[in-house]
Amino acid sequence: MLTNKIGHHLMLRQAMIPRQLKLFPCIHGNRLLSGYKPKSNVKDSYRILELQEGCSLDDIRNSYRNLAKKYHPDSGSVTADSEAFMKVEEAYRVVLSDVANKKKSSEDEEEDQFKSKSLQHRHYLSFEGVGFGMPSQRERQYMQFRVDRATEQVLEYRKQRLEGQCAVTDLMKAKDVRQSKKVKITQAVERLVEDLIQESMAKGDFDNLSGKGKPLQKFSDCPHIDPMTHNLNRILIDNGYQPEWILMQKEIRETIEQLRKGIVASRNKLGGPMTPYRQKQWNCICEQFIEDIRKLNKRIDSFNLVVPLLSRQMVHFNADKEIVRAQKTYEALMEKRQASNSDTKEIEQENVKRFGLKPLFKWLNLMLK
């Protein structure tokens, strides 16, 4: 809007100039009137606008607007100067003219290049634009072009096929290298074990073995078992060696048996109908039993991490089920005890009836008193 006001102001000033003088072009919006010839240098114009050559149109417009606000006589600013504003306006016209000329010259060059590369005749659109000369000549050239292209495609296909075969060969070589490394590592471990065995034999570590001087047992009937591994395992077993997971499994089983016997014994000590005091003791015993089962379940988790067979893994014990089981065991023991007591009384009564031992029992009781 400021540019439109400036253009209107310049048009009024231009109307006051005599017709014999050559008119300056005015700016309306962002357009220059034709017939303008710059009087100042292009470099000086860029310097007045505080710009560098090669800048964009947006930079030129923004700089002109800022300077117009600064130097325009009607702006009312402290730095208003009509002469400086005329210089800015002149420089703006020169810069716009220079940019327009450069843009026009670049468009002309691109158009010339396009014209030089474009086909001049319609018949050159056939045969994929290949060849030159008469149509018959261009047809022969196009046939040769197709032959060459087919040959290149065949060569490219063969090249890709050979590259694929080479890739497969490289994979096979890498696999062979890995297999050879694995064999070397296995042989190195076997040599290390053999050296350790020989060193132990030299130190006398095998002198006190239980089977010294006796022939080894025959190998297993399975042909897939390595004889060396079988003998080593047999020696370790004979000398009492057990893997860690076997020891842990044995420990877990012994612990649960002890806990079960302990809670049954505690319930047996409390005896017959439960009084409030005995019930309180029983609750304390159950709480301690639950804590022991929780610790045992943690031990089972550690066991499941080291056991080599999935079928050998163990499940957690349920404390509530174990308490119910202990209660049932106690009830079964009480029933068995009552049955045995009743049987004993019946036998005594039969003996008294048969042998008349009742007066003798009375006499023994009197003697004991």
Side-chain angles (χ1 to χ4, degrees), residues 169-182:
T169 306
D170 293 339
L171 289 175
M172 295 297 293
K173 289 181 179 179
K175 186 176 180 180
D176 294 340
V177 170
R178 289 196 298 269
Q179 189 68 22
S180 63
K181 287 183 179 179
K182 185 176 179 181

Side-chain angles (χ1 to χ4, degrees), residues 144-161:
Q144 185 63 36
F145 169 74
R146 291 184 62 184
V147 170
D148 296 338
R149 185 170 61 183
T151 305
E152 290 178 358
Q153 291 177 355
V154 171
L155 293 176
E156 185 67 23
Y157 171 75
R158 291 180 179 178
K159 180 182 177 181
Q160 293 178 358
R161 188 174 179 181

Side-chain angles (χ1 to χ4, degrees), residues 118-296:
S118 60
L119 299 175
Q120 301 297 326
H121 302 285
R122 232 179 135 73
H123 67 273
Y124 281 101
L125 297 175
S126 60
F127 303 115
E128 299 181 11
V130 176
F132 58 91
M134 301 297 291
S136 59
Q137 296 175 349
R138 294 186 65 247
E139 183 178 2
R140 288 194 296 270
Q141 294 172 8
Y142 178 65
M143 294 298 294
Q144 185 63 36
F145 169 74
R146 291 184 62 184
V147 170
D148 296 338
R149 185 170 61 183
T151 305
E152 290 178 358
Q153 291 177 355
V154 171
L155 293 176
E156 185 67 23
Y157 171 75
R158 291 180 179 178
K159 180 182 177 181
Q160 293 178 358
R161 188 174 179 181
L162 290 175
E163 288 178 353
Q165 293 178 358
C166 291
V168 174
T169 306
D170 293 339
L171 289 175
M172 295 297 293
K173 289 181 179 179
K175 186 176 180 180
D176 294 340
V177 170
R178 289 196 298 269
Q179 189 68 22
S180 63
K181 287 183 179 179
K182 185 176 179 181
V183 172
K184 289 180 181 179
I185 292 172
T186 304
Q187 293 176 354
V189 172
E190 291 178 355
R191 287 197 299 270
L192 178 60
V193 172
E194 185 68 23
D195 294 339
L196 292 174
I197 292 173
Q198 294 295 332
E199 184 179 355
S200 299
M201 291 176 63
K203 291 180 180 179
D205 295 338
F206 297 157
D207 293 341
N208 298 324
L209 296 178
S210 59
K212 182 180 179 181
K214 299 179 182 180
L216 295 174
Q217 296 181 0
K218 292 183 179 180
F219 303 136
S220 176
D221 296 333
C222 182
H224 303 289
I225 297 177
D226 183 21
M228 181 64 68
T229 305
H230 179 73
N231 286 336
L232 290 175
N233 292 333
R234 179 59 58 187
I235 291 170
L236 293 173
I237 292 171
D238 292 341
N239 288 274
Y241 172 78
Q242 291 181 350
E244 180 184 4
W245 65 274
I246 292 179
L247 297 175
M248 292 178 65
Q249 185 181 25
K250 184 178 179 182
E251 179 186 355
I252 291 170
R253 289 177 177 174
E254 291 177 353
T255 303
I256 190 63
E257 289 298 327
Q258 291 177 1
L259 292 175
R260 287 172 177 172
K261 291 180 180 179
I263 193 171
V264 172
S266 299
R267 181 66 186 87
N268 193 15
K269 287 181 181 179
L270 294 176
M274 301 285 286
T275 62
Y277 178 72
R278 291 182 178 180
Q279 185 66 38
K280 187 176 181 180
Q281 289 182 345
W282 174 246
N283 293 335
C284 294
I285 293 171
C286 291
E287 290 178 359
Q288 183 62 35
F289 181 76
I290 292 172
E291 182 65 21
D292 295 336
I293 290 294
R294 186 181 64 81
K295 294 179 181 179
L296 184 62

